[in-house]
Amino acid sequence: MNILEKIKTNYSASTNEMTVAAYLEECKKNPKVYAKPAERILDAIGEPEMLDTRQDPVLSRIFSNKKIKIYPAFKDFYGMESTIEQIVSYFRHSAQGLEEKKQILYLMGPVGGGKSSLAEKLKHLMQQHPIYVLKAGEEVSPVFESPLGLFADYTEELEEEYNIPSRYVPSCMSPWASKRLREFDGDINRFKVIKLFPSIQEQIAISKTEPGDENNQDISTLVGKVDIRKLAEFQQSDPDAYSYTGGLCLANQGLLEFVEMFKAPIKVLNPLLTATQEKNYKGTEPIGAIPFDGIIMAHSNESEWAKFLNDKKNEAFLDRIYKVQVPYCLRVSEEIKIYEKLIRESSLREAPCAPKTIELLAEFSVMSRLKEPENSSIYSKMRVYNGETLRETDPNAKSLQEYRDDAGINEGMQGISTRFAFKILSKVFNFDSEEIAANPVHLLYVLEQEVIKMMLPPETETKYLHLIKSVLASKYAEFISDEIQKAYIESYSSYGQNIFEKYVIYADHWMQNNDYRDPDSGEIFDRSILNAELEKIEKPAGISNPKDFRAEVTNFTLRYKANHGGENPRWDSYEKIKNVIEKKIFTNTEDLLPVVSFTAKSNEEDEKKHRDFTKRMKDRGYTDKQIRILVDWFMRVRKTMA
């Protein structure tokens, strides 16, 4: 079935309609028919996958070897395990009939932190399972009420005959249903029950409310108001003269999203109190109470929450809120996944992105959100938060728990937003008029310019510029130096092989306490000379126990030759000696500058070496233009790296 046929099928599908008696029999057989919104959304979220973090060294450090729950429904929300678990706990407790069923789910976090995305995800999940709505004639209940509302005064009989617990019965029927029941002389069989799927587009059991003008906004945005077009036909107090267009009316049996809730005047929020506590609310006209059996989800930023929290008049409201903090992501690896997802969803997905570009941006974003640690560097703290262990490289680094205890619960509520970071990335990709591509050099430049344009407080601006110029630039200088040198040495594989083979021969003779005669020069190397030659290779790599290292490399080579017909292994086939040889070669960077630079070459041999180097860099993920830009940048900063 193609897409056109699917759309036609969905719109032409027959409506599921049944009698009230048939509905009650269905309830008796299947409790999901009368399930509460929290139960339906829990079912849509699905069972979590249990992840034992002890099996992963990185995750074990981040989550202290605990077993954590991973919900496939939220697989695209990176670094939000704790936040998602709190949200799911709210629905779980609400489904169990606990206090949460009477509370507003409130997401509080900084701008661009993911609150709206979480809200949208929950609304989409709410669409997965159907609701059953009362219908009279051809008219569906305007507040999408449950047929069980007809039995609000007969909960004991309902439970006895159909096994429907009383907590599933709405507190009352709507004024609309009450009027029809009177017209039907109490004959409930004249009602019908229709099966509907909640819909964001059609505003069926899902609604969205936003604060309006403080001066003229009233409660009608939530509870509806009289429809003046019907006053010629009905009295003002008649339920049919009422327009059930408020957020609470439309979101019954579903979910109401209240955007920036605390920007609305408190008088506008008052209907939420009765809707959550009593499961009904009053309209603006003298009609009966309107039932509400749904979830109210609100979100705003921290400043709006703090302002509302500090007003003593709001205590009753605050007691009815289930607050979930939605901080920025504080793990670089997860922040990278967010950017990669955003890029995949744009036309930039095919554009070249040089290695380290996205990682540098993620590092800057995360460091901007971290509280500055005492007696430790913020870069080390960022790495520890990412699950790395720094015991051997940074003695001042603290444990992850120490950093968290020192930072407090509000860490991650300030800093650079993901939204701002992606705008930076967009400018970097479009920085060069000739090539849509991104590289770290352009990223560092654009970041610096945008931070200055933000006109931040002097202390914050100084911090951000320090992160860009001192921390990120120096770390990238080390990285690109390593990249260039590796591409350089890989084009001289015979050079690395010669050093390797010479090292193995020297080490073998040193281990056997034998002199070595150089076959080319005839020179004899005694044990002290052999040791000196070996140290020339080992010292740049910081080998602390040369005796064990020499034995290890020699044994590896002998085993390899025994298994491969006497053939020597490649110099880069064993990671430990490969790193040592690279360090030895890289100690003299002046040798590579004439080859990697884009100046005119004096001979064909240098030109060939340069072509080999360029090819190696392209194999590593760089475009021709990026190679030129990054090499020029490396040439400028290499002196500061010495």
Side-chain angles (χ1 to χ4, degrees):
M1 188 184 293
N2 63 34
I3 187 171
L4 302 179
E5 291 170 338
K6 282 183 180 179
I7 294 172
K8 183 178 178 182
T9 302
N10 289 339
Y11 269 87
S12 62
S14 59
T15 302
N16 290 307
E17 192 172 297
M18 64 183 83
T19 63
V20 173
Y23 167 76
L24 292 174
E25 288 298 327
E26 191 68 25
C27 290
K28 195 173 183 178
K29 293 185 291 184
N30 183 10
K32 288 188 176 181
V33 173
Y34 55 82
K36 295 279 188 179
E39 294 174 75
R40 285 186 273 112
I41 204 167
L42 263 184
D43 203 36
I45 290 171
E47 290 298 317
E49 298 171 359
M50 297 304 297
L51 179 62
D52 188 351
T53 61
R54 290 175 301 179
Q55 309 302 319
D56 186 311
V58 173
L59 294 178
S60 69
R61 288 189 284 268
I62 295 172
F63 296 103
S64 305
N65 287 326
K66 296 175 184 175
K67 288 185 178 180
I68 59 172
K69 295 176 180 177
I70 303 296
Y71 295 89
F74 295 97
K75 66 180 187 305
D76 291 335
F77 290 83
Y78 303 108
M80 299 180 75
E81 294 87 357
S82 175
T83 298
I84 290 166
E85 183 54 42
Q86 290 180 66
I87 292 172
V88 175
S89 293
Y90 166 83
F91 290 122
R92 187 182 298 117
H93 298 164
S94 179
Q96 292 168 347
L98 305 179
E99 183 59 28
E100 281 80 354
K101 72 175 183 178
K102 297 180 179 180
Q103 295 195 316
I104 297 167
L105 174 61
Y106 170 61
L107 308 179
M108 187 270 284
V111 294
K115 302 185 299 296
S116 298
S117 297
L118 281 168
E120 287 300 313
K121 184 64 180 180
L122 292 172
K123 287 192 293 184
H124 277 89
L125 288 169
M126 184 58 80
Q127 294 181 120
Q128 290 190 18
H129 293 293
I131 59 173
Y132 292 82
V133 177
L134 204 58
K135 184 179 181 182
E138 295 301 314
E139 190 179 359
V140 177
S141 169
V143 292
F144 306 112
E145 65 189 294
S146 167
L148 297 181
L150 297 171
F151 306 93
D153 297 329
Y154 304 93
T155 55
E156 292 182 8
E157 293 91 333
L158 197 64
E159 186 166 1
E160 185 178 331
E161 291 185 40
Y162 296 99
N163 299 325
I164 301 173
S166 58
R167 68 186 184 91
Y168 286 96
V169 181
S171 61
C172 62
M173 70 179 82
S174 72
W176 173 89
S178 181
K179 179 180 177 181
R180 268 74 190 160
L181 191 58
R182 287 195 303 272
E183 291 174 349
F184 297 159
D185 293 326
D187 185 0
I188 286 178
N189 288 321
R190 294 181 63 181
F191 283 102
K192 297 290 183 184
V193 177
I194 186 172
K195 178 181 175 182
L196 296 174
F197 276 87
S199 169
I200 298 171
Q201 182 68 29
E202 303 293 332
Q203 291 198 84
I204 298 173
I206 299 176
S207 181
K208 188 174 186 176
T209 299
E210 299 176 351
D213 188 338
E214 282 191 15
N215 298 320
N216 59 23
Q217 187 178 11
D218 58 30
I219 63 171
S220 64
T221 56
L222 286 174
V223 304
K225 58 185 176 181
V226 69
D227 187 343
I228 57 174
R229 293 171 299 179
K230 294 183 179 180
L231 291 179
E233 188 177 350
F234 302 102
Q235 291 184 0
Q236 192 165 339
S237 60
D238 192 302
D240 287 339
Y242 200 75
S243 177
Y244 300 90
T245 54
L248 289 170
C249 306
L250 299 171
N252 189 27
Q253 291 206 77
L255 190 149
L256 168 64
E257 178 191 5
F258 205 136
V259 180
E260 299 293 346
M261 181 173 73
F262 295 128
K263 287 184 178 178
I266 189 65
K267 64 178 182 178
V268 175
L269 303 179
N270 283 332
L272 300 180
L273 296 178
T274 52
T276 52
Q277 295 298 298
E278 301 170 22
K279 295 301 176 184
N280 63 66
Y281 55 94
K282 291 287 291 180
T284 57
E285 304 302 324
I287 59 175
I290 306 170
F292 179 77
D293 194 4
I295 296 163
I296 300 172
M297 174 182 61
H299 50 85
S300 70
N301 58 42
E302 192 174 7
S303 61
E304 296 293 339
W305 165 254
K307 183 179 176 183
F308 193 84
L309 183 65
N310 293 327
D311 191 339
K312 293 293 183 184
K313 293 182 291 184
N314 300 330
E315 285 181 349
F317 204 93
L318 291 167
D319 194 45
R320 291 164 172 82
I321 287 176
Y322 182 97
K323 181 166 75 76
V324 175
Q325 286 200 173
V326 187
Y328 289 130
C329 178
L330 297 180
R331 283 152 55 196
V332 170
S333 58
E334 299 299 297
E335 186 77 5
I336 289 171
K337 291 176 184 176
I338 296 173
Y339 301 154
E340 288 175 341
K341 174 192 170 187
L342 294 170
I343 290 173
R344 282 197 307 270
E345 294 171 352
S346 73
S347 61
L348 298 176
R349 62 186 302 171
E350 303 297 333
C353 185
K356 204 74 174 176
T357 308
I358 294 177
E359 186 178 340
L360 280 176
L361 179 59
E363 288 178 349
F364 174 72
S365 298
V366 170
M367 285 191 289
S368 75
R369 301 162 184 170
L370 296 176
K371 180 183 176 184
E372 196 81 37
E374 294 182 10
N375 305 320
S376 177
S377 75
I378 196 167
Y379 189 80
S380 292
K381 180 177 180 178
M382 174 201 71
R383 292 180 63 190
V384 170
Y385 271 39
N386 204 41
E388 298 180 49
T389 176
L390 306 181
R391 283 176 298 187
E392 297 179 0
T393 55
D394 184 359
N396 293 324
K398 301 177 185 178
S399 69
L400 188 144
Q401 194 58 50
E402 285 180 292
Y403 280 131
R404 282 181 178 165
D405 291 343
D406 178 60
I409 61 172
N410 286 327
E411 187 172 43
M413 301 298 283
Q414 295 179 329
I416 293 297
S417 73
T418 304
R419 192 177 296 136
F420 174 82
F422 192 61
K423 287 192 287 186
I424 292 289
L425 206 52
S426 303
K427 291 184 178 181
V428 173
F429 269 100
N430 292 282
F431 185 82
D432 193 319
S433 58
E434 298 176 10
E435 180 182 60
I436 296 179
N439 68 74
V441 171
H442 287 162
L443 172 70
L444 293 171
Y445 176 78
V446 171
L447 257 181
E448 182 181 343
Q449 297 305 309
E450 291 302 312
V451 166
I452 294 171
K453 288 179 187 176
M454 288 169 71
M455 300 182 69
L456 297 164
E459 185 179 341
T460 306
E461 182 178 302
T462 301
K463 174 188 173 181
Y464 288 178
L465 291 177
H466 170 75
L467 292 177
I468 297 166
K469 293 180 177 180
S470 300
V471 181
L472 295 181
S474 63
K475 295 297 179 184
Y476 182 66
E478 293 174 12
F479 174 82
I480 194 60
S481 171
D482 197 43
E483 286 280 274
I484 289 172
Q485 289 169 337
K486 284 179 180 178
Y488 163 82
I489 196 60
E490 283 174 359
S491 65
Y492 298 97
S493 58
S494 59
Y495 185 29
Q497 190 69 24
N498 289 338
I499 294 177
F500 170 71
E501 292 177 5
K502 186 181 291 185
Y503 181 88
V504 172
I505 292 171
Y506 288 176
D508 186 34
H509 280 76
W510 184 87
M511 295 288 295
Q512 302 298 326
N513 200 14
N514 293 330
D515 293 344
Y516 170 69
R517 179 186 293 274
D518 189 311
D520 295 325
S521 64
E523 185 179 357
I524 295 177
F525 293 177
D526 63 19
R527 198 164 191 263
S528 61
I529 296 175
L530 287 172
N531 187 65
E533 291 297 320
L534 289 167
E535 284 183 346
K536 289 179 184 178
I537 301 172
E538 295 161 349
K539 280 189 174 180
I543 299 299
S544 57
N545 196 336
K547 182 179 179 181
D548 291 344
F549 183 78
R550 293 167 189 176
E552 189 177 347
V553 174
T554 304
N555 289 335
F556 163 77
T557 306
L558 292 174
R559 287 195 305 272
Y560 186 94
K561 291 174 75 172
N563 294 328
H564 295 82
E567 182 183 342
N568 268 318
R570 276 182 52 84
W571 71 277
D572 55 359
S573 62
Y574 190 46
E575 190 68 25
K576 288 186 177 180
I577 189 63
K578 173 178 178 285
N579 292 335
V580 169
I581 292 172
E582 284 179 346
K583 294 289 185 183
K584 159 67 177 171
I585 297 168
F586 297 166
T587 53
N588 188 8
T589 58
E590 296 302 318
D591 291 344
L592 64 82
L593 296 180
V595 173
V596 304
S597 69
F598 282 79
T599 56
K601 302 295 179 275
S602 58
N603 55 62
E604 180 57 33
E605 183 183 355
D606 281 353
E607 186 63 42
K608 181 182 182 304
K609 291 177 181 178
H610 179 76
R611 286 196 300 270
D612 289 343
F613 161 76
T614 303
K615 181 181 181 302
R616 297 283 186 187
M617 288 292 284
K618 289 172 76 173
D619 291 342
R620 289 178 173 274
Y622 300 90
T623 67
D624 286 318
K625 187 152 192 180
Q626 287 173 345
I627 297 169
R628 182 182 289 271
I629 291 169
L630 300 180
V631 166
D632 287 347
W633 188 82
F634 166 72
M635 302 280 275
R636 290 198 306 272
V637 303
R638 74 184 190 279
K639 291 180 181 178
T640 63
M641 294 159 47

